Amino acid sequence: MTSAKSESSEKNAGDETLGFDTRAIHHAFDPAEFKRSVQPPVFLTSTYGFESVAANEAAAALGGRLYAREYNPTTEILEKRLANLEGAEAGLVLSTGMAAFGTLVLSLLSQGDELIVHKTLYSNTVAMVEQGLPRFGIKVVPVDLSEPSNLDAAITDRTRLVYFETPVNPLSAILDIAAITNRAHARNIKVAVDSTFASPALQRPIEHGADIVLHSMTKYINGHGDTLGGALLGDAETLHMLHETGLRYITGATLSPHSAFLIMRGLKTLSLRMDRHSASALAIAQMLEAHPAVAWVSYPFLDSHPDHAIARKQMGQGSGMLAFGLKAGFDGARRIFDRFQLLTRAVSLGDTDSLIYHPASIMRARQSIRKDAHLVDGVSEDLIRLSVGLEDVNDLIADLRKALQIL
Ligand code: PLP
């Protein structure tokens, strides 16, 4: 982009005038620092040698830049770039989205503290708050945050954090970030938002008042279904603490530099992909809504979505995630699933490939090995989740129509 390092550094420091896509491609990378490589090199090293005691101490003073669990030049570019795109002061990337959640809560919360969560969350986040945190004396209080005023009565003098997803997995319900954050901040409580379903191309929770943003980068940010990753973005002081304690010695869940490279490659096309995911998902949602075998459809940018006004306020587009139920319910879902030829029957989301998943079928299979396995609050037995990929939308619609024909 630039010839002189100083010019480039200045440009990166003040590139707020550049558009989202330009920053997604260039922010925080100065080719002059890397032998003019156009793409960020992958630093596969576990440790760093220092030319002197003073240099070693200087690296330590910068915050544990001694060892690759806590510092890697490839990974650092991704952290700065994502923080910039989210409008955050700083970022931290981790090995998975669950590692990001674990690092967040195990660093910020202690025995006796209380965590407020929305009643519906990604199923393994539910497992962590129901089974993990209580073992460490952290009380988790589930609240229906679709009515933000419900927060008021749930907050006590032990509440430390409010945590929710929007859009909410798997129903694509929408929670009002600004309304929830205003109420939490009035009581001096921080708010963390899992924005995985939207990605920073469509929604930036910090612009609506949130303190911390969490992403499973496994999903849209990487977007190609070929690596796992997680991220935390927020103010510099909190992120420093999450880095210095949470990553360095609590979870140790470092993202591999090779994954950081892949995720940066994906990030370069994020908003292009989100445009296509969103347009195709809207077309599919409209087709399903008009289909005689379909009982209901939930997609944030459908007029029939109960929270579509909030979705339009805080999201640029509806994203690629939708949920629907059939008039033939649980059994109907099982019958159509084996008929898909293009849609892939798989968990996960946000990939180039369309992925379709029926949580209740998986749950019933799990119950055969774990009796207490249950569907998350707010998830019905008929719910089918579809992550609309980047294939030709007419082909996706044809595959769905053909499968629905038997009903
Ligand atoms: N948050 C949401 C909304 C998710 O859907 C997921 C995974 O599906 C996660 C977090 C966890 O991310 P990971 O699978 O990268 O650990």
Side-chain angles (χ1 to χ4, degrees):
M1 266 179 97
T2 49
S3 51
K5 181 184 158 195
S6 55
E7 245 177 75
S8 175
S9 305
E10 270 165 32
K11 183 168 206 156
N12 277 338
D15 70 3
E16 300 80 28
T17 55
L18 297 173
F20 183 94
D21 291 348
T22 309
R23 289 177 284 126
I25 293 170
H26 294 292
H27 183 78
F29 179 60
D30 181 356
E33 284 177 11
F34 299 99
K35 306 233 179 248
R36 305 230 152 261
S37 170
V38 172
Q39 300 303 330
V42 181
F43 284 85
L44 290 172
T45 183
S46 58
T47 191
Y48 303 92
F50 294 98
E51 62 193 17
S52 65
V53 172
N56 208 333
E57 289 170 356
L62 272 174
R65 285 180 163 205
L66 305 174
Y67 182 61
R69 189 186 325 103
E70 62 249 3
Y71 173 68
N72 181 281
T74 313
T75 305
E76 188 182 41
I77 299 165
L78 174 59
E79 286 173 340
K80 289 186 173 164
R81 194 167 288 177
L82 264 184
N84 175 278
L85 295 176
E86 282 287 358
E89 288 173 5
L92 177 65
V93 293
L94 301 116
S95 55
T96 65
M98 283 312 296
F101 185 66
T103 301
L104 177 76
V105 291
L106 295 175
S107 305
L108 295 189
L109 306 175
S110 302
Q111 189 179 21
D113 288 347
E114 294 181 8
L115 167 70
I116 294 178
V117 295
H118 179 55
K119 66 184 178 88
T120 309
L121 291 163
Y122 164 58
S123 58
N124 284 302
T125 308
V126 171
M128 177 63 163
V129 301
E130 281 185 357
Q131 294 157 43
L133 294 181
R135 289 177 42 224
F136 302 102
I138 295 162
K139 186 173 166 196
V140 179
V141 184
V143 173
D144 182 356
L145 292 176
S146 62
E147 181 40 73
S149 63
N150 288 342
L151 197 57
D152 300 348
I155 293 177
T156 73
D157 57 4
R158 300 198 153 233
T159 308
R160 293 288 170 271
L161 186 68
V162 174
Y163 183 84
F164 61 90
E165 300 164 2
T166 189
V168 183
N169 189 359
L171 190 62
S172 288
I174 300 293
L175 300 177
D176 189 330
I177 302 170
I180 296 167
T181 303
N182 287 339
R183 285 178 183 271
H185 284 177
R187 307 277 294 272
N188 279 327
I189 311 292
K190 286 200 173 194
V191 174
V193 178
D194 180 335
S195 191
T196 297
F197 265 39
S199 92
L202 302 186
Q203 168 178 287
R204 292 173 290 281
I206 290 171
E207 291 175 3
H208 302 281
D211 302 287
I212 295 167
V213 178
L214 180 144
H215 282 287
S216 165
M217 299 192 294
T218 313
K219 318 299 190 221
Y220 287 112
I221 290 178
N222 177 54
H224 293 74
D226 49 15
T227 191
L228 304 177
L232 294 165
L233 300 313
D235 66 277
E237 192 185 338
T238 306
L239 265 289
H240 183 71
M241 200 269 260
L242 294 172
H243 198 151
E244 279 291 280
T245 59
L247 174 62
R248 192 162 64 86
Y249 65 80
I250 294 181
T251 62
T254 306
L255 182 73
S256 98
H258 185 246
S259 292
F261 173 86
L262 288 173
I263 292 167
M264 277 194 275
R265 185 167 68 168
L267 189 56
K268 289 188 181 208
T269 56
L270 180 66
S271 61
L272 273 177
R273 289 186 284 106
M274 295 316 291
D275 285 349
R276 171 68 88 89
H277 284 300
S278 301
S280 297
L282 180 60
I284 291 172
Q286 285 165 339
M287 181 282 285
L288 289 171
E289 202 167 38
H291 198 286
V294 174
W296 58 269
V297 183
S298 173
Y299 179 69
F301 269 43
L302 274 184
D303 290 344
S304 59
H305 191 287
D307 314 312
H308 86 271
I310 306 167
R312 283 175 199 274
K313 181 181 76 170
Q314 65 193 24
M315 295 174 75
Q317 299 181 73
S319 191
M321 298 303 299
L322 61 92
F324 63 101
L326 302 172
K327 289 180 183 156
F330 177 88
D331 294 326
R334 292 183 67 88
R335 284 172 62 209
I336 65 164
F337 257 57
D338 278 343
R339 293 173 55 84
F340 297 128
Q341 288 177 325
L342 185 56
L343 302 180
T344 303
R345 289 166 287 273
V347 297
S348 203
L349 59 109
D351 292 0
T352 51
D353 306 39
S354 292
L355 307 175
I356 194 157
Y357 153 63
H358 181 212
S361 289
I362 305 263
M363 190 49 65
R364 289 208 187 173
R366 259 189 207 147
Q367 279 165 347
S368 65
I369 46 167
R370 250 197 41 212
K371 288 270 172 298
D372 62 341
H374 61 87
L375 278 177
V376 170
D377 192 351
V379 180
S380 53
E381 290 244 306
D382 62 343
L383 186 149
I384 296 170
R385 189 185 76 179
L386 174 59
S387 169
V388 177
L390 301 179
E391 302 93 338
D392 287 86
V393 68
N394 290 337
D395 295 333
L396 297 174
I397 287 177
D399 202 41
L400 277 161
R401 276 192 192 284
K402 218 167 123 210
L404 288 166
Q405 242 169 27
I406 50 157
L407 298 177

